[in-house]
PDB file of all heavy atoms in Angstrom:
ATOM      1  N   MET A1126       1.687  13.926  10.391  1.00 74.00           N
ATOM      2  CA  MET A1126       2.125  13.191   9.236  1.00 74.00           C
ATOM      3  C   MET A1126       3.394  13.766   8.717  1.00 74.00           C
ATOM      4  O   MET A1126       4.284  13.062   8.239  1.00 74.00           O
ATOM      5  CB  MET A1126       0.993  13.229   8.186  1.00 74.00           C
ATOM      6  CG  MET A1126       1.296  12.401   6.996  1.00 74.00           C
ATOM      7  SD  MET A1126       1.360  10.697   7.469  1.00 74.00           S
ATOM      8  CE  MET A1126       1.679   9.983   5.900  1.00 74.00           C
ATOM      9  N   LYS A1127       3.560  15.110   8.779  1.00 77.00           N
ATOM     10  CA  LYS A1127       4.757  15.737   8.256  1.00 77.00           C
ATOM     11  C   LYS A1127       5.995  15.373   9.071  1.00 77.00           C
ATOM     12  O   LYS A1127       7.070  15.211   8.542  1.00 77.00           O
ATOM     13  CB  LYS A1127       4.585  17.295   8.277  1.00 77.00           C
ATOM     14  CG  LYS A1127       3.643  17.799   7.256  1.00 77.00           C
ATOM     15  CD  LYS A1127       3.573  19.301   7.275  1.00 77.00           C
ATOM     16  CE  LYS A1127       2.555  19.796   6.271  1.00 77.00           C
ATOM     17  NZ  LYS A1127       2.488  21.270   6.250  1.00 77.00           N
ATOM     18  N   LYS A1128       5.792  15.172  10.389  1.00 77.00           N
ATOM     19  CA  LYS A1128       6.905  14.768  11.268  1.00 77.00           C
ATOM     20  C   LYS A1128       7.413  13.380  10.835  1.00 77.00           C
ATOM     21  O   LYS A1128       8.625  13.154  10.808  1.00 77.00           O
ATOM     22  CB  LYS A1128       6.497  14.767  12.720  1.00 77.00           C
ATOM     23  CG  LYS A1128       6.272  16.145  13.271  1.00 77.00           C
ATOM     24  CD  LYS A1128       5.881  16.063  14.718  1.00 77.00           C
ATOM     25  CE  LYS A1128       5.540  17.430  15.285  1.00 77.00           C
ATOM     26  NZ  LYS A1128       5.116  17.405  16.654  1.00 77.00           N
ATOM     27  N   ILE A1129       6.521  12.479  10.551  1.00 77.00           N
ATOM     28  CA  ILE A1129       6.902  11.137  10.157  1.00 77.00           C
ATOM     29  C   ILE A1129       7.651  11.185   8.843  1.00 77.00           C
ATOM     30  O   ILE A1129       8.651  10.497   8.671  1.00 77.00           O
ATOM     31  CB  ILE A1129       5.669  10.240  10.073  1.00 77.00           C
ATOM     32  CG1 ILE A1129       5.066  10.036  11.452  1.00 77.00           C
ATOM     33  CG2 ILE A1129       6.015   8.902   9.479  1.00 77.00           C
ATOM     34  CD1 ILE A1129       3.733   9.329  11.473  1.00 77.00           C
ATOM     35  N   LEU A1130       7.183  12.003   7.934  1.00 75.00           N
ATOM     36  CA  LEU A1130       7.832  12.125   6.625  1.00 75.00           C
ATOM     37  C   LEU A1130       9.247  12.691   6.743  1.00 75.00           C
ATOM     38  O   LEU A1130      10.173  12.165   6.182  1.00 75.00           O
ATOM     39  CB  LEU A1130       7.000  13.013   5.707  1.00 75.00           C
ATOM     40  CG  LEU A1130       7.540  13.180   4.278  1.00 75.00           C
ATOM     41  CD1 LEU A1130       7.621  11.826   3.550  1.00 75.00           C
ATOM     42  CD2 LEU A1130       6.690  14.145   3.533  1.00 75.00           C
ATOM     43  N   VAL A1131       9.432  13.688   7.613  1.00 72.00           N
ATOM     44  CA  VAL A1131      10.733  14.274   7.837  1.00 72.00           C
ATOM     45  C   VAL A1131      11.645  13.272   8.486  1.00 72.00           C
ATOM     46  O   VAL A1131      12.821  13.115   8.062  1.00 72.00           O
ATOM     47  CB  VAL A1131      10.621  15.535   8.714  1.00 72.00           C
ATOM     48  CG1 VAL A1131      11.990  16.022   9.172  1.00 72.00           C
ATOM     49  CG2 VAL A1131       9.927  16.633   7.974  1.00 72.00           C
ATOM     50  N   LEU A1132      11.187  12.501   9.464  1.00 71.00           N
ATOM     51  CA  LEU A1132      12.038  11.485  10.089  1.00 71.00           C
ATOM     52  C   LEU A1132      12.433  10.391   9.089  1.00 71.00           C
ATOM     53  O   LEU A1132      13.565   9.919   9.076  1.00 71.00           O
ATOM     54  CB  LEU A1132      11.320  10.883  11.284  1.00 71.00           C
ATOM     55  CG  LEU A1132      11.258  11.724  12.498  1.00 71.00           C
ATOM     56  CD1 LEU A1132      10.365  11.059  13.608  1.00 71.00           C
ATOM     57  CD2 LEU A1132      12.641  12.022  13.075  1.00 71.00           C
ATOM     58  N   LEU A1133      11.488   9.985   8.240  1.00 71.00           N
ATOM     59  CA  LEU A1133      11.790   8.983   7.237  1.00 71.00           C
ATOM     60  C   LEU A1133      12.866   9.486   6.296  1.00 71.00           C
ATOM     61  O   LEU A1133      13.782   8.752   5.944  1.00 71.00           O
ATOM     62  CB  LEU A1133      10.531   8.612   6.468  1.00 71.00           C
ATOM     63  CG  LEU A1133      10.669   7.571   5.426  1.00 71.00           C
ATOM     64  CD1 LEU A1133      11.031   6.237   6.091  1.00 71.00           C
ATOM     65  CD2 LEU A1133       9.359   7.417   4.669  1.00 71.00           C
ATOM     66  N   ILE A1134      12.778  10.727   5.876  1.00 71.00           N
ATOM     67  CA  ILE A1134      13.773  11.301   4.976  1.00 71.00           C
ATOM     68  C   ILE A1134      15.167  11.386   5.625  1.00 71.00           C
ATOM     69  O   ILE A1134      16.155  11.006   5.064  1.00 71.00           O
ATOM     70  CB  ILE A1134      13.306  12.694   4.462  1.00 71.00           C
ATOM     71  CG1 ILE A1134      12.151  12.555   3.513  1.00 71.00           C
ATOM     72  CG2 ILE A1134      14.462  13.413   3.765  1.00 71.00           C
ATOM     73  CD1 ILE A1134      11.483  13.826   3.116  1.00 71.00           C
ATOM     74  N   VAL A1135      15.153  11.846   6.892  1.00 68.00           N
ATOM     75  CA  VAL A1135      16.426  11.958   7.604  1.00 68.00           C
ATOM     76  C   VAL A1135      17.112  10.610   7.792  1.00 68.00           C
ATOM     77  O   VAL A1135      18.335  10.458   7.574  1.00 68.00           O
ATOM     78  CB  VAL A1135      16.219  12.624   8.969  1.00 68.00           C
ATOM     79  CG1 VAL A1135      17.457  12.528   9.876  1.00 68.00           C
ATOM     80  CG2 VAL A1135      15.876  14.115   8.775  1.00 68.00           C
ATOM     81  N   PHE A1136      16.327   9.609   8.137  1.00 69.00           N
ATOM     82  CA  PHE A1136      16.942   8.264   8.372  1.00 69.00           C
ATOM     83  C   PHE A1136      17.246   7.531   7.080  1.00 69.00           C
ATOM     84  O   PHE A1136      18.014   6.539   7.093  1.00 69.00           O
ATOM     85  CB  PHE A1136      16.040   7.423   9.266  1.00 69.00           C
ATOM     86  CG  PHE A1136      16.077   7.816  10.703  1.00 69.00           C
ATOM     87  CD1 PHE A1136      14.913   8.213  11.355  1.00 69.00           C
ATOM     88  CD2 PHE A1136      17.257   7.824  11.375  1.00 69.00           C
ATOM     89  CE1 PHE A1136      14.939   8.591  12.677  1.00 69.00           C
ATOM     90  CE2 PHE A1136      17.288   8.207  12.722  1.00 69.00           C
ATOM     91  CZ  PHE A1136      16.139   8.579  13.358  1.00 69.00           C
ATOM     92  N   SER A1137      16.711   7.936   5.977  1.00 69.00           N
ATOM     93  CA  SER A1137      16.935   7.250   4.725  1.00 69.00           C
ATOM     94  C   SER A1137      18.218   7.714   4.024  1.00 69.00           C
ATOM     95  O   SER A1137      18.731   6.987   3.155  1.00 69.00           O
ATOM     96  CB  SER A1137      15.750   7.374   3.775  1.00 69.00           C
ATOM     97  OG  SER A1137      15.617   8.729   3.369  1.00 69.00           O
ATOM     98  N   PHE A1138      18.736   8.844   4.393  1.00 64.00           N
ATOM     99  CA  PHE A1138      19.961   9.338   3.750  1.00 64.00           C
ATOM    100  C   PHE A1138      21.192   8.717   4.416  1.00 64.00           C
ATOM    101  O   PHE A1138      21.371   8.772   5.598  1.00 64.00           O
ATOM    102  CB  PHE A1138      20.067  10.877   3.814  1.00 64.00           C
ATOM    103  CG  PHE A1138      19.216  11.567   2.827  1.00 64.00           C
ATOM    104  CD1 PHE A1138      18.077  12.250   3.293  1.00 64.00           C
ATOM    105  CD2 PHE A1138      19.431  11.521   1.487  1.00 64.00           C
ATOM    106  CE1 PHE A1138      17.250  12.881   2.370  1.00 64.00           C
ATOM    107  CE2 PHE A1138      18.628  12.153   0.574  1.00 64.00           C
ATOM    108  CZ  PHE A1138      17.521  12.843   1.037  1.00 64.00           C
ATOM    109  N   PRO A1139      22.082   8.118   3.626  1.00 59.00           N
ATOM    110  CA  PRO A1139      23.214   7.437   4.177  1.00 59.00           C
ATOM    111  C   PRO A1139      24.244   8.392   4.815  1.00 59.00           C
ATOM    112  O   PRO A1139      25.014   8.022   5.658  1.00 59.00           O
ATOM    113  CB  PRO A1139      23.873   6.709   2.983  1.00 59.00           C
ATOM    114  CG  PRO A1139      23.228   7.233   1.785  1.00 59.00           C
ATOM    115  CD  PRO A1139      21.977   7.928   2.187  1.00 59.00           C
ATOM    116  N   ALA A1140      24.205   9.667   4.458  1.00 58.00           N
ATOM    117  CA  ALA A1140      25.162  10.634   5.015  1.00 58.00           C
ATOM    118  C   ALA A1140      24.894  10.770   6.547  1.00 58.00           C
ATOM    119  O   ALA A1140      25.862  10.952   7.306  1.00 58.00           O
ATOM    120  CB  ALA A1140      25.017  11.983   4.375  1.00 58.00           C
ATOM    121  N   PHE A1141      23.682  10.666   6.938  1.00 54.00           N
ATOM    122  CA  PHE A1141      23.348  10.749   8.361  1.00 54.00           C
ATOM    123  C   PHE A1141      23.713   9.457   9.075  1.00 54.00           C
ATOM    124  O   PHE A1141      24.009   9.411  10.253  1.00 54.00           O
ATOM    125  CB  PHE A1141      21.874  11.028   8.595  1.00 54.00           C
ATOM    126  CG  PHE A1141      21.442  12.392   8.074  1.00 54.00           C
ATOM    127  CD1 PHE A1141      20.613  12.473   6.983  1.00 54.00           C
ATOM    128  CD2 PHE A1141      21.935  13.535   8.628  1.00 54.00           C
ATOM    129  CE1 PHE A1141      20.214  13.714   6.521  1.00 54.00           C
ATOM    130  CE2 PHE A1141      21.558  14.765   8.160  1.00 54.00           C
ATOM    131  CZ  PHE A1141      20.699  14.834   7.081  1.00 54.00           C
ATOM    132  N   ALA A1142      23.672   8.345   8.409  1.00 53.00           N
ATOM    133  CA  ALA A1142      23.937   7.039   8.954  1.00 53.00           C
ATOM    134  C   ALA A1142      25.426   6.712   9.032  1.00 53.00           C
ATOM    135  O   ALA A1142      25.804   5.766   9.687  1.00 53.00           O
ATOM    136  CB  ALA A1142      23.178   5.965   8.185  1.00 53.00           C
ATOM    137  N   LYS A1143      26.272   7.433   8.348  1.00 56.00           N
ATOM    138  CA  LYS A1143      27.727   7.137   8.330  1.00 56.00           C
ATOM    139  C   LYS A1143      28.425   7.389   9.662  1.00 56.00           C
ATOM    140  O   LYS A1143      29.563   7.004   9.821  1.00 56.00           O
ATOM    141  CB  LYS A1143      28.396   7.962   7.248  1.00 56.00           C
ATOM    142  CG  LYS A1143      28.003   7.524   5.840  1.00 56.00           C
ATOM    143  CD  LYS A1143      28.533   6.161   5.535  1.00 56.00           C
ATOM    144  CE  LYS A1143      28.128   5.789   4.105  1.00 56.00           C
ATOM    145  NZ  LYS A1143      28.462   4.416   3.813  1.00 56.00           N
ATOM    146  N   ALA A1144      27.750   7.998  10.585  1.00 54.00           N
ATOM    147  CA  ALA A1144      28.428   8.315  11.860  1.00 54.00           C
ATOM    148  C   ALA A1144      28.274   7.164  12.868  1.00 54.00           C
ATOM    149  O   ALA A1144      28.587   7.363  14.044  1.00 54.00           O
ATOM    150  CB  ALA A1144      27.821   9.595  12.454  1.00 54.00           C
ATOM    151  N   GLN A1145      27.820   6.041  12.453  1.00 53.00           N
ATOM    152  CA  GLN A1145      27.594   4.923  13.402  1.00 53.00           C
ATOM    153  C   GLN A1145      28.920   4.316  13.859  1.00 53.00           C
ATOM    154  O   GLN A1145      29.864   4.201  13.103  1.00 53.00           O
ATOM    155  CB  GLN A1145      26.732   3.867  12.716  1.00 53.00           C
ATOM    156  CG  GLN A1145      25.418   4.364  12.287  1.00 53.00           C
ATOM    157  CD  GLN A1145      24.652   5.016  13.345  1.00 53.00           C
ATOM    158  OE1 GLN A1145      24.566   4.530  14.483  1.00 53.00           O
ATOM    159  NE2 GLN A1145      24.055   6.130  13.059  1.00 53.00           N
ATOM    160  N   CYS A1146      28.983   3.957  15.138  1.00 61.00           N
ATOM    161  CA  CYS A1146      30.093   3.266  15.750  1.00 61.00           C
ATOM    162  C   CYS A1146      31.449   3.932  15.433  1.00 61.00           C
ATOM    163  O   CYS A1146      32.284   3.390  14.721  1.00 61.00           O
ATOM    164  CB  CYS A1146      30.132   1.796  15.326  1.00 61.00           C
ATOM    165  SG  CYS A1146      31.220   0.826  16.338  1.00 61.00           S
ATOM    166  N   ALA A1147      31.608   5.121  16.007  1.00 68.00           N
ATOM    167  CA  ALA A1147      32.796   5.928  15.735  1.00 68.00           C
ATOM    168  C   ALA A1147      34.093   5.237  16.175  1.00 68.00           C
ATOM    169  O   ALA A1147      35.096   5.317  15.483  1.00 68.00           O
ATOM    170  CB  ALA A1147      32.665   7.280  16.420  1.00 68.00           C
ATOM    171  N   MET A1148      34.033   4.523  17.275  1.00 71.00           N
ATOM    172  CA  MET A1148      35.264   3.891  17.766  1.00 71.00           C
ATOM    173  C   MET A1148      35.684   2.722  16.846  1.00 71.00           C
ATOM    174  O   MET A1148      36.885   2.589  16.534  1.00 71.00           O
ATOM    175  CB  MET A1148      35.077   3.385  19.200  1.00 71.00           C
ATOM    176  CG  MET A1148      34.966   4.555  20.172  1.00 71.00           C
ATOM    177  SD  MET A1148      34.909   4.012  21.863  1.00 71.00           S
ATOM    178  CE  MET A1148      36.530   3.418  22.106  1.00 71.00           C
ATOM    179  N   CYS A1149      34.702   1.895  16.438  1.00 69.00           N
ATOM    180  CA  CYS A1149      35.014   0.810  15.505  1.00 69.00           C
ATOM    181  C   CYS A1149      35.591   1.347  14.219  1.00 69.00           C
ATOM    182  O   CYS A1149      36.584   0.831  13.657  1.00 69.00           O
ATOM    183  CB  CYS A1149      33.784  -0.016  15.241  1.00 69.00           C
ATOM    184  SG  CYS A1149      33.087  -0.807  16.700  1.00 69.00           S
ATOM    185  N   ARG A1150      34.963   2.391  13.714  1.00 65.00           N
ATOM    186  CA  ARG A1150      35.419   2.979  12.451  1.00 65.00           C
ATOM    187  C   ARG A1150      36.799   3.567  12.605  1.00 65.00           C
ATOM    188  O   ARG A1150      37.651   3.396  11.691  1.00 65.00           O
ATOM    189  CB  ARG A1150      34.420   4.058  12.044  1.00 65.00           C
ATOM    190  CG  ARG A1150      34.762   4.697  10.744  1.00 65.00           C
ATOM    191  CD  ARG A1150      33.685   5.685  10.365  1.00 65.00           C
ATOM    192  NE  ARG A1150      34.110   6.407   9.152  1.00 65.00           N
ATOM    193  CZ  ARG A1150      33.409   7.373   8.596  1.00 65.00           C
ATOM    194  NH1 ARG A1150      32.309   7.749   9.154  1.00 65.00           N
ATOM    195  NH2 ARG A1150      33.826   7.943   7.535  1.00 65.00           N
ATOM    196  N   ALA A1151      37.107   4.208  13.683  1.00 72.00           N
ATOM    197  CA  ALA A1151      38.434   4.822  13.901  1.00 72.00           C
ATOM    198  C   ALA A1151      39.515   3.752  13.955  1.00 72.00           C
ATOM    199  O   ALA A1151      40.587   3.900  13.391  1.00 72.00           O
ATOM    200  CB  ALA A1151      38.443   5.636  15.179  1.00 72.00           C
ATOM    201  N   VAL A1152      39.219   2.638  14.609  1.00 72.00           N
ATOM    202  CA  VAL A1152      40.224   1.576  14.734  1.00 72.00           C
ATOM    203  C   VAL A1152      40.508   0.965  13.348  1.00 72.00           C
ATOM    204  O   VAL A1152      41.663   0.733  12.999  1.00 72.00           O
ATOM    205  CB  VAL A1152      39.712   0.490  15.712  1.00 72.00           C
ATOM    206  CG1 VAL A1152      40.586  -0.771  15.630  1.00 72.00           C
ATOM    207  CG2 VAL A1152      39.703   1.027  17.117  1.00 72.00           C
ATOM    208  N   ILE A1153      39.472   0.697  12.578  1.00 72.00           N
ATOM    209  CA  ILE A1153      39.692   0.109  11.250  1.00 72.00           C
ATOM    210  C   ILE A1153      40.365   1.076  10.301  1.00 72.00           C
ATOM    211  O   ILE A1153      41.218   0.726   9.528  1.00 72.00           O
ATOM    212  CB  ILE A1153      38.366  -0.461  10.726  1.00 72.00           C
ATOM    213  CG1 ILE A1153      37.974  -1.644  11.538  1.00 72.00           C
ATOM    214  CG2 ILE A1153      38.540  -0.809   9.256  1.00 72.00           C
ATOM    215  CD1 ILE A1153      36.701  -2.314  11.094  1.00 72.00           C
ATOM    216  N   GLU A1154      39.942   2.384  10.341  1.00 70.00           N
ATOM    217  CA  GLU A1154      40.558   3.342   9.458  1.00 70.00           C
ATOM    218  C   GLU A1154      41.985   3.595   9.797  1.00 70.00           C
ATOM    219  O   GLU A1154      42.781   3.970   8.939  1.00 70.00           O
ATOM    220  CB  GLU A1154      39.754   4.611   9.441  1.00 70.00           C
ATOM    221  CG  GLU A1154      38.485   4.530   8.635  1.00 70.00           C
ATOM    222  CD  GLU A1154      37.719   5.856   8.601  1.00 70.00           C
ATOM    223  OE1 GLU A1154      38.062   6.768   9.376  1.00 70.00           O
ATOM    224  OE2 GLU A1154      36.783   5.947   7.831  1.00 70.00           O
TER     225      GLU A1154
END
């Protein structure tokens, strides 16, 4: 149960999710 809770916390923070699609982000930035 603790593993599920840790995974839920990690995936719920937007700081971890901001690394998505690095190439698309680089082109637009």
